[in-house]
Amino acid sequence: MSLVNKKGVVVRHIERADAGLITRFARYGVATTHEAQGRTGLLDARVRPVQQNRAIAGSAVTVLVSPGDNWMFHVAVEQCQPGDVLLVTPTSDCHDGFFGDLLATSLKARGVVALVGDIGIRDSQTLRDMNFPVWSRAVYAQGTVKETLGSVNVPVICAGQLVNPGDIVVADDDGVVIVPREQAVAVDAAAQKRVDAEEGKRQRLAAGELGLDIYQMRPTLAEKGLRYVDTLNELKNA
Protein backbone atom coordinates (compact mmCIF):
# COMPACT_ATOMS: atom_id res chain seq x y z
CA MET A 1 0.00 0.00 0.00
CA SER A 2 1.30 3.46 -0.92
CA LEU A 3 2.23 5.66 2.03
CA VAL A 4 2.04 8.87 -0.02
CA ASN A 5 -0.58 11.23 1.44
CA LYS A 6 -1.73 8.57 3.91
CA LYS A 7 -4.06 10.03 6.57
CA GLY A 8 -4.44 9.44 10.29
CA VAL A 9 -0.78 8.68 11.13
CA VAL A 10 1.98 10.37 13.14
CA VAL A 11 5.49 8.97 12.62
CA ARG A 12 7.58 9.92 15.66
CA HIS A 13 11.08 9.03 14.48
CA ILE A 14 12.54 10.13 11.14
CA GLU A 15 16.09 10.21 9.81
CA ARG A 16 17.61 13.62 9.28
CA ALA A 17 20.68 14.69 7.30
CA ASP A 18 23.85 15.89 9.01
CA ALA A 19 23.50 19.43 10.35
CA GLY A 20 26.71 20.61 8.65
CA LEU A 21 25.48 19.31 5.32
CA ILE A 22 22.18 21.16 5.73
CA THR A 23 24.01 24.39 6.54
CA ARG A 24 25.95 24.17 3.27
CA PHE A 25 22.72 23.90 1.28
CA ALA A 26 21.47 27.13 2.84
CA ARG A 27 24.67 28.74 1.51
CA TYR A 28 24.30 27.25 -1.99
CA GLY A 29 20.72 28.49 -2.32
CA VAL A 30 17.85 27.24 -4.44
CA ALA A 31 19.15 27.93 -7.95
CA THR A 32 22.54 26.26 -7.46
CA THR A 33 21.03 23.29 -5.63
CA HIS A 34 18.41 22.83 -8.34
CA GLU A 35 21.05 22.84 -11.08
CA ALA A 36 23.42 20.60 -9.11
CA GLN A 37 20.84 17.82 -8.86
CA GLY A 38 20.00 17.78 -12.54
CA ARG A 39 17.41 20.59 -12.53
CA THR A 40 15.01 18.62 -10.33
CA GLY A 41 13.19 19.17 -7.05
CA LEU A 42 11.65 22.63 -7.45
CA LEU A 43 8.28 23.28 -5.88
CA ASP A 44 5.80 24.94 -8.22
CA ALA A 45 6.22 28.70 -8.69
CA ARG A 46 3.00 29.30 -6.77
CA VAL A 47 4.90 28.70 -3.49
CA ARG A 48 6.58 32.05 -2.88
CA PRO A 49 8.33 33.81 0.03
CA VAL A 50 6.25 36.02 2.29
CA GLN A 51 9.44 37.90 3.20
CA GLN A 52 12.61 38.77 1.31
CA ASN A 53 16.33 38.35 1.91
CA ARG A 54 16.11 35.05 3.77
CA ALA A 55 17.87 31.83 2.80
CA ILE A 56 17.27 28.67 4.84
CA ALA A 57 17.69 24.93 4.74
CA GLY A 58 16.36 22.28 7.10
CA SER A 59 14.97 18.79 7.50
CA ALA A 60 11.37 18.34 6.37
CA VAL A 61 8.74 17.48 8.93
CA THR A 62 5.87 16.76 6.57
CA VAL A 63 2.26 17.58 7.39
CA LEU A 64 -0.80 16.45 5.43
CA VAL A 65 -3.89 18.54 6.18
CA SER A 66 -7.50 18.51 5.08
CA PRO A 67 -8.80 21.58 3.22
CA GLY A 68 -9.64 24.39 5.62
CA ASP A 69 -8.45 22.42 8.68
CA ASN A 70 -5.22 23.17 10.56
CA TRP A 71 -5.61 20.63 13.37
CA MET A 72 -2.52 18.66 12.30
CA PHE A 73 -0.25 21.69 12.63
CA HIS A 74 -0.65 21.42 16.38
CA VAL A 75 0.08 17.70 16.26
CA ALA A 76 3.18 18.33 14.13
CA VAL A 77 4.75 20.88 16.48
CA GLU A 78 5.46 18.13 19.01
CA GLN A 79 7.45 16.18 16.41
CA CYS A 80 9.71 19.09 15.45
CA GLN A 81 13.36 19.47 16.41
CA PRO A 82 15.74 22.42 16.11
CA GLY A 83 16.70 22.97 12.48
CA ASP A 84 13.53 21.46 11.01
CA VAL A 85 11.29 22.97 8.34
CA LEU A 86 7.56 22.34 8.63
CA LEU A 87 6.39 21.40 5.14
CA VAL A 88 2.61 21.33 4.65
CA THR A 89 0.31 20.24 1.86
CA PRO A 90 -3.49 19.85 1.74
CA THR A 91 -5.29 16.81 0.35
CA SER A 92 -6.89 19.10 -2.24
CA ASP A 93 -6.31 22.70 -3.30
CA CYS A 94 -7.05 25.22 -0.56
CA HIS A 95 -5.63 28.68 0.08
CA ASP A 96 -7.31 29.37 3.43
CA GLY A 97 -5.17 30.97 6.14
CA PHE A 98 -3.95 27.76 7.81
CA PHE A 99 -1.01 29.38 9.61
CA GLY A 100 -0.42 32.57 11.57
CA ASP A 101 1.61 34.16 14.33
CA LEU A 102 0.49 31.86 17.17
CA LEU A 103 1.62 28.70 15.40
CA ALA A 104 4.81 30.49 14.37
CA THR A 105 5.48 31.31 18.02
CA SER A 106 5.06 27.64 18.91
CA LEU A 107 7.39 26.53 16.10
CA LYS A 108 10.05 29.07 17.04
CA ALA A 109 10.03 27.69 20.57
CA ARG A 110 10.90 24.27 19.08
CA GLY A 111 13.74 25.68 16.97
CA VAL A 112 11.94 25.29 13.63
CA VAL A 113 13.60 27.48 10.99
CA ALA A 114 10.70 28.01 8.54
CA LEU A 115 7.29 27.02 7.23
CA VAL A 116 6.90 25.90 3.61
CA GLY A 117 3.43 25.06 2.37
CA ASP A 118 1.17 24.74 -0.64
CA ILE A 119 -1.38 26.60 1.49
CA GLY A 120 -2.55 30.05 2.46
CA ILE A 121 -1.24 31.83 5.55
CA ARG A 122 -2.29 34.94 7.43
CA ASP A 123 -0.77 37.44 9.92
CA SER A 124 1.89 38.02 7.27
CA GLN A 125 3.12 41.35 8.65
CA THR A 126 3.40 39.92 12.14
CA LEU A 127 5.33 36.94 10.78
CA ARG A 128 7.78 39.33 9.14
CA ASP A 129 8.08 41.29 12.38
CA MET A 130 8.77 38.00 14.19
CA ASN A 131 11.48 37.18 11.63
CA PHE A 132 9.89 33.79 11.02
CA PRO A 133 10.39 32.81 7.35
CA VAL A 134 7.40 31.49 5.41
CA TRP A 135 6.96 30.27 1.85
CA SER A 136 3.31 29.77 0.85
CA ARG A 137 0.95 29.79 -2.13
CA ALA A 138 -1.23 32.62 -0.83
CA VAL A 139 -1.83 35.18 1.88
CA TYR A 140 -5.48 35.00 2.83
CA ALA A 141 -7.29 35.84 6.06
CA GLN A 142 -9.90 33.05 5.79
CA GLY A 143 -9.87 31.03 9.03
CA THR A 144 -9.76 27.27 9.46
CA VAL A 145 -11.28 24.63 11.74
CA LYS A 146 -9.94 21.70 13.76
CA GLU A 147 -12.08 18.69 12.89
CA THR A 148 -10.40 16.27 10.47
CA LEU A 149 -7.37 14.04 10.82
CA GLY A 150 -4.38 14.34 8.54
CA SER A 151 -0.89 12.94 9.07
CA VAL A 152 2.61 13.92 10.20
CA ASN A 153 5.88 12.59 8.79
CA VAL A 154 4.50 10.58 5.90
CA PRO A 155 5.52 11.02 2.23
CA VAL A 156 3.53 13.84 0.61
CA ILE A 157 3.17 15.52 -2.75
CA CYS A 158 3.72 19.24 -2.19
CA ALA A 159 3.42 21.73 -5.08
CA GLY A 160 4.27 19.02 -7.58
CA GLN A 161 7.18 17.37 -5.72
CA LEU A 162 7.40 14.18 -3.71
CA VAL A 163 8.75 15.01 -0.26
CA ASN A 164 9.73 12.37 2.26
CA PRO A 165 10.15 13.22 5.93
CA GLY A 166 13.78 14.09 6.56
CA ASP A 167 14.45 15.36 3.03
CA ILE A 168 16.33 18.65 2.91
CA VAL A 169 14.24 21.75 2.15
CA VAL A 170 16.17 24.69 0.68
CA ALA A 171 14.34 28.01 0.33
CA ASP A 172 15.23 31.59 -0.56
CA ASP A 173 13.93 34.48 -2.66
CA ASP A 174 13.97 32.24 -5.76
CA GLY A 175 11.54 29.66 -4.33
CA VAL A 176 11.91 26.21 -2.77
CA VAL A 177 13.80 23.06 -3.80
CA ILE A 178 13.77 19.60 -2.21
CA VAL A 179 16.90 17.47 -1.90
CA PRO A 180 16.15 13.80 -1.18
CA ARG A 181 18.05 12.90 1.98
CA GLU A 182 19.65 9.81 0.40
CA GLN A 183 21.10 11.96 -2.41
CA ALA A 184 22.24 14.88 -0.27
CA VAL A 185 25.95 14.01 -0.09
CA ALA A 186 26.23 13.64 -3.87
CA VAL A 187 24.26 16.84 -4.50
CA ASP A 188 26.44 18.68 -1.99
CA ALA A 189 29.57 17.69 -3.91
CA ALA A 190 28.01 18.72 -7.23
CA ALA A 191 26.83 22.04 -5.79
CA GLN A 192 30.28 22.89 -4.40
CA LYS A 193 31.86 22.05 -7.76
CA ARG A 194 29.37 24.36 -9.43
CA VAL A 195 30.05 27.18 -6.95
CA ASP A 196 33.81 26.90 -7.55
CA ALA A 197 33.37 26.95 -11.34
CA GLU A 198 31.02 29.94 -11.21
CA GLU A 199 33.44 31.93 -9.07
CA GLY A 200 36.12 31.53 -11.72
CA LYS A 201 33.70 32.64 -14.43
CA ARG A 202 32.54 35.55 -12.31
CA GLN A 203 36.09 36.85 -12.03
CA ARG A 204 36.62 36.54 -15.79
CA LEU A 205 33.35 38.35 -16.54
CA ALA A 206 34.24 41.11 -14.07
CA ALA A 207 37.54 41.54 -15.91
CA GLY A 208 35.62 42.20 -19.13
CA GLU A 209 35.83 38.81 -20.81
CA LEU A 210 32.69 37.89 -22.76
CA GLY A 211 30.43 34.95 -22.05
CA LEU A 212 30.58 34.23 -25.80
CA ASP A 213 34.25 33.34 -25.38
CA ILE A 214 34.19 31.82 -21.88
CA TYR A 215 31.49 29.36 -22.93
CA GLN A 216 32.99 28.94 -26.45
CA MET A 217 29.67 29.83 -28.07
CA ARG A 218 30.90 31.37 -31.32
CA PRO A 219 31.44 28.16 -33.37
CA THR A 220 28.05 26.73 -32.44
CA LEU A 221 26.28 30.02 -33.15
CA ALA A 222 27.91 30.08 -36.58
CA GLU A 223 26.81 26.49 -37.23
CA LYS A 224 23.25 27.52 -36.38
CA GLY A 225 23.44 30.28 -39.01
CA LEU A 226 24.03 33.40 -36.93
CA ARG A 227 25.70 36.10 -39.01
CA TYR A 228 26.87 39.61 -38.29
CA VAL A 229 26.25 42.69 -40.45
CA ASP A 230 27.53 46.20 -39.91
CA THR A 231 24.35 48.09 -40.97
CA LEU A 232 20.69 47.44 -41.72
CA ASN A 233 21.38 48.42 -45.33
CA GLU A 234 23.36 45.22 -45.76
CA LEU A 235 20.18 43.27 -44.90
CA LYS A 236 18.09 45.34 -47.33
CA ASN A 237 20.54 44.69 -50.14
CA ALA A 238 21.00 40.98 -49.38
Side-chain angles (χ1 to χ4, degrees):
M1 181 177 62
S2 174
L3 296 178
V4 176
N5 288 359
K6 184 175 178 61
K7 295 183 69 174
V9 175
V10 177
V11 178
R12 290 175 172 163
H13 302 291
I14 65 172
E15 294 188 52
R16 293 168 169 84
D18 176 77
L21 184 64
I22 293 171
T23 298
R24 289 196 293 278
F25 278 107
R27 186 182 75 241
Y28 298 141
V30 170
T32 294
T33 300
H34 167 62
E35 297 284 355
Q37 63 179 1
R39 300 179 69 192
T40 63
L42 281 179
L43 297 195
D44 188 87
R46 65 181 178 265
V47 178
R48 303 299 304 156
V50 171
Q51 67 293 304
Q52 295 291 317
N53 303 317
R54 294 301 307 273
I56 65 93
S59 297
V61 169
T62 61
V63 187
L64 182 69
V65 296
S66 295
D69 193 314
N70 77 345
W71 204 6
M72 298 310 292
F73 278 80
H74 295 271
V75 176
V77 170
E78 185 180 25
Q79 305 306 318
C80 291
Q81 297 181 10
D84 285 344
V85 172
L86 201 68
L87 183 136
V88 186
T89 191
T91 55
S92 61
D93 282 354
C94 183
H95 51 246
D96 289 352
F98 285 85
F99 181 87
D101 67 301
L102 292 180
L103 277 167
T105 299
S106 188
L107 289 177
K108 285 191 74 171
R110 303 288 290 191
V112 174
V113 298
L115 170 82
V116 171
D118 193 12
I119 57 171
I121 62 95
R122 59 185 186 177
D123 304 328
S124 57
Q125 182 60 58
T126 304
L127 292 170
R128 285 190 288 271
D129 291 342
M130 292 173 61
N131 198 28
F132 187 82
V134 172
W135 284 258
S136 70
R137 73 176 297 172
V139 175
Y140 192 48
Q142 176 69 46
T144 56
V145 299
K146 298 170 178 61
E147 294 288 343
T148 308
L149 291 181
S151 286
V152 177
N153 281 332
V154 299
V156 298
I157 302 296
C158 182
Q161 292 296 328
L162 172 64
V163 186
N164 286 290
D167 285 350
I168 298 175
V169 182
V170 186
D172 59 23
D173 288 354
D174 291 339
V176 182
V177 66
I178 306 300
V179 180
R181 184 181 57 81
E182 295 86 352
Q183 300 174 22
V185 172
V187 177
D188 171 44
Q192 186 60 58
K193 183 178 180 180
R194 187 175 183 86
V195 167
D196 293 341
E198 287 185 349
E199 181 55 32
K201 292 170 185 173
R202 185 175 295 106
Q203 292 178 10
R204 293 172 68 181
L205 290 166
E209 196 170 348
L210 296 174
L212 285 171
D213 299 314
I214 292 173
Y215 296 104
Q216 300 179 344
M217 294 176 177
R218 296 185 190 275
T220 305
L221 289 167
E223 289 176 8
K224 295 286 187 180
L226 182 69
R227 63 192 180 99
Y228 291 83
V229 297
D230 292 325
T231 68
L232 288 175
N233 286 333
E234 291 183 50
L235 294 179
K236 295 176 182 177
N237 298 327

